[in-house]
Amino acid sequence: MKIIIAFIILWPFAGFLFNGLGRNYWSKKVIAYKATGYIVASFIASIFAFIQVQNHGAVTVHYFDFINTATVKIPFDFKVDALSSLFLLVITGVGSLIHLYSTAYMKEETAPHYARYFSYLNLFIFSMLILVLGDNYVIMFIGWEGVGLCSYLLIGYWFTNGNYNYAAKKAFIMNRIGDLGFLLAIFWLIVKLGTVNYSEVLTADSLAKLSSTDITGIALLLFVGAMGKSAQIPLFTWLPDAMAGPTPVSALIHAATMVTAGIYMITRSNILYSHSELTQNIIAIIGISTALLAATIAIKQNDIKKVLAYSTVSQLGYMFLGLGVGAYSGAVFHVITHAFFKALLFLGAGSVIHAMHHEQDIRKMGGLKSKLPITHITFLIGCIAIAGVPPFSGFFSKDEILAAAFAKSPIYWVLGVIGAAMTAFYMFRLYTTTFLGNFRGTPDQENHLHESPQAMTLPLILLAIASALAGAIGIPEMMGGHHWLSHNLIPIVGEPVELGLSHSLEWTLMAVSVSIAFIALLLAISIYKKKTDEEPLTALGKFFYHKWHIDELYNEVIVQPLNRFAGFLKNIIEKQVIDGAVNGTGKLVQYSARKVRLIQNGQVGYYILFMVAGIILLFMIWFNDISILHFFNKLTKN
Amino acid sequence: MPIQYYIFFCLALFSIGVVGVLTRRNAIIVFMCIELMLNAVNLLLVAFSKMYNGLALQNGASATAGIDAQIFVFFIMVVAAAEVSIGLAIIVMMYRNTHSIDINFLNRLKN
Amino acid sequence: MNAIIVSTLLGVIMMFCSWGIKSQQVQKNIALIGLFILIIANLAQSNGWYVVDFDTKGMLKYNFFGLYANTLLFVLTFIYVWINGEEIAKITSSSADFYSLFFFILCGISILTSFDNLLMLFLGIEILSIPLYILTGADKKNMFSNEAALKYFLMGSFSTGILLLGITFIYGATGSFHLTAPVVSISTGIAQEQILLSTGLILLFAAMNFKVSAAPFHFWTPDVYDGAPTVFTSFMATIAKAAGFIAFINVFNSQHKALGYSWTLLLTFVILSTLLVGNIIAVFQRSVKRMLAYSSIAQAGFMLFALYGKSDINYESTLLYAVVYSIATIGIFAVLVKMKENSFEAFNGLGKAHPLLAFTTTVFLFSLAGIPLTGGFFAKYYMLSALLKAGAGLWLVLVAVVFAAISIYYYFKIIQAMYFTTGEPAINPLPSQYKYQLLTLAILLLVLGVFPNLLLNYLYF
Amino acid sequence: MNVLEIIFYALSAFALVCAIMVLISKNPIHSVLWLILVFFAISGHYILLNAQFLAIVNIIVYAGAIMVLFLFVIMLINVKKDSEPQKQLFVKFTGVIAGGSFLTLFISLVKQAMPLVGKTVPLKEGTIGLIHPLGKALFNDYVVPFEISSVLFLSAMVGAVLIGKK
Amino acid sequence: MMLVSFLFIPILAALLLLFIKNNKTAQWVAILFSGLSLLVALLMLITPTADFNIAWLPNLNTRFILHADGLSKILILLTAISFPAILLTTANNEYKNRNVFLSLLLFAQAGLMGVFLAGDALLFYFFWELALIPIYFLCSIWGGEKRIAITFKFFIYTFLGSLFMLAGILFLNAHTSDHSFLINSFIHANLSGGEQVTAFALFFIAFAIKMPIFPLHTWQPDAYEQSPTAVTMVMSAVMVKMGLYGILRWLMPLFPAAFMAHTHVVVLLSVIGILYASFIAIRQDDIKRLIAYSSIAHIGLMNAALFTHTQIAIQGALIQLFSHGINVLGLWMVADIIEQQTGTRSMQQMGGLAKKQPTLAILLVGFALANIALPLTNSFVGEFLMFTGLFQFNPWMAACAGVSVILAAIYTLNLVQKVAYGAISEKINTMQSPNKGAQVVLIILLIIVFATGVYPQPLFSLTADTLQELFVK
């Protein structure tokens, strides 16, 4: 097992080194084969690991001690259990497909950059694997920061473009804000428990050692970390901007894997959250708010990737709602299905963009249905899946979350359904404007429209199949399934909580949500079949179009004041107050030198006068030794 | 005669010397005032000498008590004489160069 | 006793040399031989061998400290003459006259290191001072020299008056001039019994402060040092001043008890004002010579720390400080003498033109500033340590330390000019051996900077 | 008040007046002459204190030699009148104030000095001021300083020559 | 004897260099000798070291004692690595009178080594100054335009600080039973509470100025900016550690009570300083000043860690002593290469390095990542432990200081973005690839960064005895 895990981890890393160091030497072909091959190898190893876990249960392997001091010991341990093995499969599986896809998508790059791209991708997979494999929070944090770094590198892949760099930086910094929360949580754990190992922290015994404040605090801080990585309010604005990277990157990082790290982390620590009602409520509220907010914005976006990005944020909101209401396995379920269909959608979008010669504005597309048949079909499947139309995968996972939400509070459910409706609406708005209707681009583009090469369509097809069928792993018992996933996750999240809802109620809820989504879907097709968003927007529409002006708000309320504050420190406090005081002392000495030396005026008469005065002064001091010296001595001897 | 009277008198002389040093600008007169100060000290020493001599005589002790102060006066005179020779030489040298013995002109060296 | 007699004799011999021998070089060599004899004579006395041995009737009292101080000061004079002989020769046609004055001064110094009677103190100071007046005015055609001489003379005589008044009061209070007698009893504050004695002591204190140029009696120092021929400034600021300090310590280490607690207060006042005046005004000087004059005031402030208490370390520190400070000052003045002008700008580019000279100058300045690895560090160190051992407050040490940091400012101005400013140094041609003489001094300072006990061990023979 | 006391007061008053005259006379020669009178008065005091030797020496050395030297120099330099302008009132004022406070300070000190209370100076008595005991003391106990003072003179001589010669 | 050779080798080399006028030879001699001390340092890690102890000034009771424990060793290792690295990277820079330059640099090395080895307070003070004085000359002669005034300020500032320390040493010496300067006598000095506080303050001022911590830091950015880069590297990689070393070696054991009484004040001050410096760094355009402020922030964190007096934080700080040195060395080296080749330090005029000089850009990014303490780089380990200790000390302060994690990302990425990314600017376009020596050094440093980041255990075991000493007693 030790070796298998080492393989899983090291193959991507080897790919990183191979492509990173050899970027000037290999041909593109070699690069592509190696990069993809390593991930596939890792995927195969993951399958082995998965089977192993299914058969023999969780395994922990120890490599070496990362930190081992008298006070704290942090081993470099990996753990493969039900949760992480599942994630392993998703990461390496989807990762392999995206690698494959990238080999064709990035064809236009020169070899060194091609190599750089793949080395980043491999490094990303490596980090993500560390994140999910780690047996303690510190190892998780290593991966956590690693994926942040890789996303920074990949968003800024086209580094000569200033805006892309800005987006990359924004992503990294927002992630860092979250990371600070995560870090503080780790500190808190170490200080209180002296350990960060899951097996020692996440037990009833050690939780008993913590006060409720501790638990709430740790849980909240961890959630802050998750917020950053999984793009929740208020730290979500980086994700849409992150679309600056190449499209496969968006698919891999900003849809399928990295952003789900937050869900992974909270699922991992579910026992903490179960002990903290307050945190759970906060998570649920933030989750559903994010879902709705992002959905409203997605409705009005015209950039194909932006729509998908906001949809991702929105879906992540759903997952957090699931976490907040205690449906951990539901959240994980949604992670998995979302990984498939969102990767599919992004890759499909990539295919479109590829065909359109890097045109991303959907208003300039339309009617691509016939030109890009495979892309069209797969994209449609993705849309259906995300809209929650049964029996596609999105339906099952979303429904599980909604059901749990209803059990918690019907308000969550109502909001969730509204969100689902919006999701269906904007997804089909996207679909309709892109693939249906007439082509609205330039004739030049039209002439060059073509279906993507096989390396790109193959992943699309595979992902489409997965999107369509992945629901099978979590068919609720109510429908006759036995929900393999939640059974599988019992060691991690415990027995599924009985929702206390009657089957008929569940059926009703399901029907309501599906029909609402369906109505929204049809509405979108009918509206956008004919017209585009050329006409002026309404006030609300503008508001949504401008993303609620949140970026501007952050800029005005946080960034600018901080910048001004820094400028104030730099120019006023540093230069004038502190350095001024230092230099002022020097100036004072010089000034007094200039003045005091005037006493020495060259006149003997004055000199003798001063001497006489000096003698008199000596006598005065002698008369009045009113303990001036005592005073000073007291001062220093205190 | 009470010793205080002598002290007061000598101090008065001394102070007059000091005032002279402070107020006059002619180097020679300043120097003379310094001599005046020295003389005041001399007289005071002699007065003290006699005082101790008188005390010793009253106590029937050695009759030479207090003599050292008079010797001291003698040495002060010796030193004063040497100082005068040097001082006047310097003043004359100064005069040769500047044709003035006003000490207020001595202000090229300052600050 | 040997030193007094031999130095007088040598003075007389040198006096006659000025008639008999015309060669300046020979005169210098005779003086050096004389100084060597003087050193030998003094060492002989340290070992119990006297030229003439007679009862001084309590006028002089010899102890090892005084004799050792003599030796050191003679050696310093030797070094001084060795380095500056040529420069002295430039002032006059017959430098033997000056050498004889030096010998008389050394006689005065020998008295000041061993007196046990206020009369001897008085005589010693006068014997020391009168030749100094002359040395100041030695450059007869130079108005600055004249002015300095007259100023020095007038103020010196005035301070003599104060000194005598002080001695008179001490006599009036005790009926004796002997140093051992005056302390009637230990008292604190103003006691009616002690008032006359205290008055006398304070006056004496003021006069001694004048001699060592401590504020507020320092006014003569900058003008006189500035006006006097640079070679003689070097002598005045080092050997003569060191002797003043030794006399100061000799008087007050036995006498300060009469002032009781106020003594500390008075001393603190004087030290603080001296440090303040010396360091602060030195900051703004444009002439190196004048800056050094103020720095010598500042250094005097440091040396006064030795008066705080009465223990071995005070004597050690006085000697070490005096020697180290003197070596450094002789060195820096020896460089200054060769400069065409006294401004800081004259040093511009010296580091490039004369690296060895610049290096030695740096060592001298480091030593004056008290930077480790030079003797100046241990000098300052001993002073501060003496201060703490005497039970003075730490705050005084801190004040001293702050002023030491200020002193860096003006000393390093020369270093900056030498190394960091480009330019053609305004320097006269140097004799070939000159650099090596200075290098010897620098090495001496460096050695003392690592092993100060080379100097101090002899104190405990 | 006996005769001696009257003489004391008279001499003192005379000395003080003469001393003040030294200060305020414009002509340096007058100042010298007034100073000589002060010295005479002081010698009178010495005689009053039965210190004949010092009285004589004072007259010979000070009034005779030193003051003549002063006169000589003044003549040589030929400054008949003090060339100093009379304006510097401020300087004079501060000088007098400083001297006055100096005097006040010391008088107040002396007045507080307990040991001096009741001590008197016998006038016209005692033999220590005569030449014989002084001579004995000088050449017994004080022979060292006596010899050493010769160094002083030597150096003064060398100095005077150095400075004096052209 | 091994310990003496740390002093002996650089001094010998420095003296030798004074007589070598040929630039190339001088350079190689310097590199050779500094390499030799690196070898000795590596040897020291694997063999036991004996104290060196002889009498120095008997009547002052001071001894020439060199003693090396883990703390000393880790800093000696850092010093020994830094100097050859610096000499190699700056081998192509233009310095007039190169032999003097190198000689002074090696004198400084001797001083630094001495500081880290001295077991006697007076000796410590000696080396403390010996390290400073060559730096003064180096900066003043070979520095930038405003070098004289700036260096002078720096010199007086630090000198004043060390004079305060001298006063403290004197004060302690007066209170020891045997009037000696040995660290052990100092530890057992008979001090009342108030006296302890006084002496503590005196020492602390010296260390605080050296590090420097807010608000005594204003000399530093100016000095770093104006110094020749080789010197800046020495100052920022090694010299600032003198202050931290002083706290660990002297302050903490000598004045336990006073130390504990002032932890909150100092930690607060440090935290303020961390944020303050980070904020200022955000607004810097000058690449050297940016690194300088970043260094102030990092050192502030280390100081805060020491003053938490928690074992975990101090453990972190001990590691970080080394790690920070390596990182900052790398950053300066890259900055220096850029400055030397483009002649500018303004980041506005840079950009596109990644396109023009990809290798250099990768190295820059590597060190930048270490600077923001990314996991698996060396500073992560140290900072992680330090923050943990800080959290243990006071969660709120840890949270405030933690903000610097974000700020560090902001300014470091600013640096990376402006220098490495974007279109190729005019200045960058002129760049040649750096010399082989520099590349090799940078790569080795980067390897150290990641090696100690992934497996820091050797550093832990090296410093274990110091920690033991500090906490068991």
Side-chain angles (χ1 to χ4, degrees), chain E residues 114-430:
Chain E
V115 166
F116 299 141
L117 285 170
D120 176 288
L122 205 57
L123 195 65
F124 174 71
Y125 179 78
F126 254 67
F127 285 124
W128 183 274
E129 295 296 355
L130 180 64
L132 173 65
I133 291 162
I135 297 291
Y136 169 69
F137 280 99
L138 284 167
C139 298
S140 295
I141 298 179
W142 286 277
E145 268 165 43
K146 288 180 286 177
R147 61 185 190 278
I148 298 181
I150 295 288
T151 315
F152 198 45
K153 178 169 143 191
F154 150 67
F155 185 77
I156 290 206
Y157 215 139
T158 41
F159 192 68
L160 182 65
S162 49
L163 280 175
F164 278 122
M165 180 172 72
L166 179 66
I169 291 175
L170 272 168
F171 184 71
L172 274 180
N173 174 247
H175 284 84
T176 51
S177 51
D178 55 351
H179 290 287
S180 82
F181 292 91
L182 299 184
I183 194 162
N184 276 331
S185 326
F186 272 24
I187 288 174
H188 298 116
N190 182 21
L191 292 176
S192 72
E195 288 167 341
Q196 211 177 75
V197 172
T198 313
F200 167 83
L202 291 175
F203 274 78
F204 182 64
I205 287 173
F207 299 148
I209 291 177
K210 202 81 179 183
M211 281 190 272
I213 62 171
F214 176 86
L216 302 171
H217 65 277
T218 51
W219 62 266
Q220 202 199 36
D222 290 342
Y224 282 10
E225 185 191 346
Q226 294 295 326
S227 308
T229 320
V231 180
T232 310
M233 291 177 201
V234 173
M235 290 210 278
S236 124
V238 190
M239 273 188 86
V240 292
K241 308 297 185 311
M242 286 160 70
L244 295 161
Y245 172 84
I247 288 176
L248 279 164
R249 170 71 75 237
W250 297 94
L251 215 52
M252 221 180 268
L254 261 49
F255 320 108
F259 188 90
M260 292 316 289
H262 290 84
T263 48
H264 275 94
V265 183
V266 179
V267 171
L268 184 65
L269 209 59
S270 305
V271 170
I272 292 173
I274 295 167
L275 294 178
Y276 176 83
S278 304
F279 270 116
I280 291 181
I282 291 174
R283 291 293 296 256
Q284 290 299 336
D285 182 51
D286 184 308
I287 191 166
K288 278 182 133 182
R289 289 184 83 85
L290 189 149
I291 303 176
Y293 278 105
S294 141
S295 181
I296 293 175
H298 285 107
I299 297 288
L301 177 59
M302 286 153 85
N303 185 51
L306 297 184
F307 272 85
T308 58
H309 204 262
T310 53
Q311 197 168 348
I312 185 162
I314 290 176
Q315 175 72 72
L318 284 171
I319 301 289
Q320 191 67 358
L321 282 176
F322 183 76
S323 304
H324 174 259
I326 298 290
N327 297 343
V328 95
L329 208 54
L331 275 180
W332 282 120
M333 282 172 180
V334 176
D336 178 49
I337 290 169
I338 294 172
E339 192 198 338
Q340 291 291 332
Q341 297 206 8
T342 63
T344 180
R345 292 197 303 262
S346 167
M347 295 196 296
Q348 278 188 340
Q349 302 182 14
M350 299 179 191
L353 186 71
K355 197 137 191 121
K356 183 77 189 170
Q357 289 293 335
T359 317
L360 197 61
I362 290 172
L363 291 166
L364 172 66
V365 172
F367 289 114
L369 296 181
N371 198 42
I372 55 179
L374 208 76
L376 295 191
T377 63
N378 52 3
S379 13
F380 172 71
V381 184
E383 289 202 2
F384 177 77
L385 293 177
M386 292 195 290
F387 271 120
T388 312
L390 198 56
F391 193 91
Q392 189 179 346
F393 177 75
N394 184 330
W396 296 110
M397 285 196 190
C400 290
V403 174
S404 75
V405 169
I406 300 162
L407 298 175
I410 295 177
Y411 61 72
T412 313
L413 293 186
N414 261 343
L415 168 77
V416 171
Q417 184 187 345
K418 285 185 182 161
V419 175
Y421 297 156
I424 299 180
S425 75
E426 247 173 79
K427 297 266 184 187
I428 293 289
N429 205 18
T430 60

Side-chain angles (χ1 to χ4, degrees), chain B residues 41 52 83 97 106 110-111, chain C residues 126 140 146-147 168 172 290:
Chain B
V41 171
Y52 279 109
E83 248 181 22
N97 282 329
L106 299 178
K110 64 178 172 188
N111 294 334
Chain C
E126 286 304 314
K140 279 175 289 187
N146 291 170
E147 179 183 336
T168 306
R290 213 170 162 79

Side-chain angles (χ1 to χ4, degrees), chain B residues 4 6 10 20 27 31 33-34 36 41 51 60 64 76 81 83 85 93 107-109:
Chain B
Q4 279 96 339
Y6 269 101
C10 291
F31 192 21
C33 290
I34 292 173
L36 186 59
V41 171
M51 180 185 91
T64 58
I76 292 176
E83 248 181 22
S85 68
M93 177 181 73
N107 60 359
R108 284 183 200 82
L109 296 166

Side-chain angles (χ1 to χ4, degrees), chain A residues 6-71:
Chain A
F7 267 130
I8 296 175
I9 289 284
L10 288 178
W11 279 123
F13 189 67
F16 161 66
L17 287 180
F18 177 83
N19 284 330
L21 298 177
R23 66 186 190 285
N24 293 327
Y25 308 111
W26 315 124
S27 71
K28 280 203 253 183
K29 206 167 190 152
V30 176
I31 294 164
Y33 276 125
K34 291 275 184 184
T36 315
Y38 285 137
I39 303 300
V40 173
S42 181
F43 177 57
I44 293 167
S46 300
I47 293 173
F48 277 115
F50 181 75
I51 294 168
Q52 199 87 343
V53 170
Q54 290 302 319
N55 292 342
H56 305 290
V59 183
T60 307
V61 293
H62 175 75
Y63 289 97
F64 58 90
D65 283 336
F66 181 49
I67 293 172
N68 184 8
T69 70
T71 40

Side-chain angles (χ1 to χ4, degrees), chain A residues 557-569:
Chain A
V557 176
I558 299 169
V559 180
Q560 288 306 323
L562 278 183
N563 236 334
R564 274 196 290 275
F565 177 62
F568 169 75
L569 288 183

